[in-house]
Amino acid sequence: MVATSTLKTKSSECISELVDRRYDQACIEKELDFWDHCVAEPQRNADVTEDRTSQQLAKMFENCLSRAKKTTLHCSSVLVPEKLTRRIAREVLRLASCEPCGLRGCVLYIHLELDKGCKQLERIVYDATVVPTFELTLVFKQDGTAWPSLRDFLFMGTCFAPTFRHVLKLSPGFRLVKKKLYSSSAGTVVEEC
């Protein structure tokens, strides 16, 4: 069923036509109630969809960090500041909002800035069926104020490699770099948060 502004909601004529086509009347009324709600409050529905997408992105960042802790970062745990991944997700959605395909046209590179430089953690293509229109590079930052724990000093040089860190703490700051792929005149946007 398609919701349009010209549809007369719950009119007996409309319902009887659908009942004649062997649709269940209770199901029809529920469907019409749903579309009435969508037409009446389009902004609220957009907010719900954006919030759901933001939560999915935040979860994607958390999963990336979880996978990287053993393979790339060589640590037993990564401490992420509260709401950091949600803040990043909102910023990513904001930067994607003015793109032709939105978030679906995004290729996302995730890095971690360490003392010795940057490490690439992952490359994510949000929707592989869409030709990418822009790239975002997310750079997590290590918390430089964190003191190494006593456990890290005890383990160093014994049973773990010298590059092993027991706990890696991320800073609440991050950097997002946006590069448009479809326009040679468009510059690169760097956002430091």
Side-chain angles (χ1 to χ4, degrees):
M1 181 174 282
V2 177
T4 63
S5 59
T6 58
L7 179 66
K8 294 178 182 158
T9 57
K10 294 190 182 179
S11 72
S12 58
E13 182 182 302
C14 179
I15 293 175
S16 64
E17 181 184 327
L18 293 172
V19 169
D20 290 343
R21 292 185 189 171
R22 300 188 191 272
Y23 288 99
D24 179 41
Q25 187 161 355
C27 181
I28 295 167
E29 288 180 6
K30 283 181 188 176
E31 189 74 16
L32 288 173
D33 284 342
F34 172 77
W35 287 111
D36 283 343
H37 175 74
C38 287
V39 170
E41 299 183 47
Q43 184 57 41
R44 182 173 179 209
N45 294 319
D47 292 344
V48 168
T49 302
E50 185 175 322
D51 189 48
R52 189 176 305 134
T53 305
S54 180
Q55 289 172 357
Q56 289 171 342
L57 270 174
K59 189 68 175 165
M60 192 183 306
F61 298 141
E62 291 165 8
N63 290 339
C64 170
L65 290 169
S66 179
R67 284 188 298 272
K69 72 180 177 184
K70 294 284 184 190
T71 58
T72 310
L73 301 176
H74 306 291
C75 61
S76 62
S77 62
V78 176
L79 300 178
V80 181
E82 187 178 3
K83 299 181 183 176
L84 174 65
T85 56
R86 284 180 260 166
R87 277 185 30 233
I88 295 170
R90 282 194 303 271
E91 285 298 311
V92 166
L93 287 175
R94 187 182 63 75
L95 290 171
S97 67
C98 59
E99 291 299 318
C101 298
L103 189 59
R104 294 177 57 228
C106 179
V107 176
L108 186 63
Y109 294 94
I110 302 175
H111 295 267
L112 174 64
E113 189 174 86
L114 297 168
D115 301 332
K116 301 171 188 172
C118 264
K119 268 193 174 179
Q120 182 173 342
L121 304 182
E122 205 163 307
R123 177 183 181 267
I124 298 171
V125 178
Y126 195 79
D127 187 345
T129 64
V130 176
V131 175
T133 57
F134 71 106
E135 293 176 345
L136 282 177
T137 303
L138 165 63
V139 182
F140 286 106
K141 296 181 177 184
Q142 181 181 0
D143 188 353
T145 62
W147 283 79
S149 71
L150 180 60
R151 225 177 339 180
D152 288 342
F153 284 119
L154 294 175
F155 285 133
M156 218 174 271
T158 55
C159 59
F160 296 108
T163 59
F164 181 83
R165 285 179 172 263
H166 198 66
V167 175
L168 175 71
K169 185 176 179 185
L170 296 182
S171 162
F174 61 93
R175 184 171 53 247
L176 270 173
V177 179
K178 178 180 177 179
K179 179 181 174 191
K180 293 187 179 196
L181 300 175
Y182 59 89
S183 175
S184 60
S185 64
T188 301
V189 178
V190 179
E191 299 233 350
E192 194 85 27
C193 301

